[in-house]
């Protein structure tokens, strides 16, 4: 009987873990990702606007066009496209950081932008992962409930006959 109770306890503990996974709040993942992406956009746009002035003053139309961004520029893009554009701007800023210092774009700005871009890059796909985790957990819950029921049947078969004569009232209440 110890084996059955241990098996039941293990299955029940696993069931509680899967119920927790099934209850994951996907919205928290999305909000976190959106917030970090907004920060990356704001920092990059701030430096890019300053760099645009430098590009214009040096007659580099290509870089002037690249740096001609606003926060709203990123509004209709997918997250991966946003990150790709932010990364491109960051790379060009870094390449020209020596010339941009006079325009108040410094190494600290580059470092902040790099960090800010890295955070939402890590989170891309996590809302899908959370959905998948919930779906798998939902399937596991059924399996674990069946396991718990199977252990309970065996435990009942072992306990009820043991106590039906000496504790008839308790066994009768159990069957209600």
């Amino acid at each position: 009987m110890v084996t059955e109770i241990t098996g039941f306890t293990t299955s029940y503990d696993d069931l509680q873990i899967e119920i927790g996974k099934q209850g994951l709040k996907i919205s928290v993942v999305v909000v976190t990702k959106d917030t970090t992406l907004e920060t990356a956009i704001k920092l990059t746009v701030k430096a890019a606007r300053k760099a645009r002035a430098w590009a214009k003053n040096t007659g580099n139309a290509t870089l002037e066009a690249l740096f001609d961004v606003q926060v709203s520029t990123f509004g209709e893009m997918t997250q991966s496209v946003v990150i790709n554009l932010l990364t491109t701007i960051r790379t060009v800023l870094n390449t020209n950081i020596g010339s941009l210092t006079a325009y108040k774009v410094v190494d600290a700005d580059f470092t902040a932008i790099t960090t800010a871009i890295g955070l939402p890059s890590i989170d891309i796909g996590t809302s899908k992962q959370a959905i998948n985790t919930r779906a798998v957990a939902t399937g596991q819950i059924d399996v674990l409930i069946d396991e718990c029921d199977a252990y309970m049947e065996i435990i009942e078969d072992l306990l009820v006959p043991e106590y039906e004569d000496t504790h008839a009232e308790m066994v009768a209440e159990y069957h209600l």
Side-chain angles (χ1 to χ4, degrees):
M1 175 138 98
V2 170
T3 304
E4 286 76 17
I5 292 175
T6 301
F8 173 80
T9 303
T10 301
S11 293
Y12 180 79
D13 291 344
D14 291 346
L15 176 62
Q16 296 309 309
I17 291 168
E18 295 302 320
I19 289 171
K21 288 179 186 176
Q22 202 275 335
L24 285 174
K25 295 189 185 284
I26 296 167
S27 61
V28 172
V29 172
V30 173
V31 168
T32 301
K33 183 169 37 173
D34 289 348
T35 302
T36 57
L37 195 57
E38 285 175 22
T39 301
I41 290 169
K42 286 178 184 176
L43 289 171
T44 304
V45 166
K46 185 177 178 179
R49 299 304 296 173
K50 294 174 187 176
R52 181 175 172 259
W54 164 78
K56 186 173 186 134
N57 286 341
T58 59
N60 190 330
T62 304
L63 292 184
E64 184 180 351
L66 176 65
F67 295 140
D68 189 14
V69 291
Q70 301 288 339
V71 171
S72 60
T73 305
F74 300 91
E76 298 299 318
M77 297 177 183
T78 64
Q79 291 175 342
S80 58
V81 171
V82 168
I83 289 177
N84 286 338
L85 181 54
L86 293 175
T87 302
T88 300
I89 293 170
R90 181 203 56 157
T91 300
V92 175
L93 287 170
N94 186 47
T95 301
N96 297 289
I97 198 76
S99 302
L100 293 171
T101 304
Y103 290 81
K104 305 283 188 204
V105 178
V106 295
D107 286 331
D109 295 322
F110 175 75
T111 302
I113 290 168
T114 300
T115 301
I117 291 171
L119 293 174
S121 297
I122 292 168
D123 288 335
I124 283 186
T126 54
S127 58
K128 260 189 203 174
Q129 291 166 351
I131 291 168
N132 290 340
T133 299
R134 286 179 63 177
V136 168
T138 300
Q140 281 299 106
I141 288 170
D142 289 340
V143 170
L144 291 167
I145 286 174
D146 289 344
E147 279 182 23
C148 287
D149 286 346
Y151 281 117
M152 285 303 293
E153 283 180 35
I154 295 170
I155 292 168
E156 182 178 325
D157 287 345
L158 293 170
L159 286 176
V160 169
E162 185 71 27
Y163 294 102
E164 66 187 352
D165 292 334
T166 57
H167 294 85
E169 193 175 303
M170 178 183 73
V171 171
E173 284 183 34
Y174 171 75
H175 284 296
L176 291 179

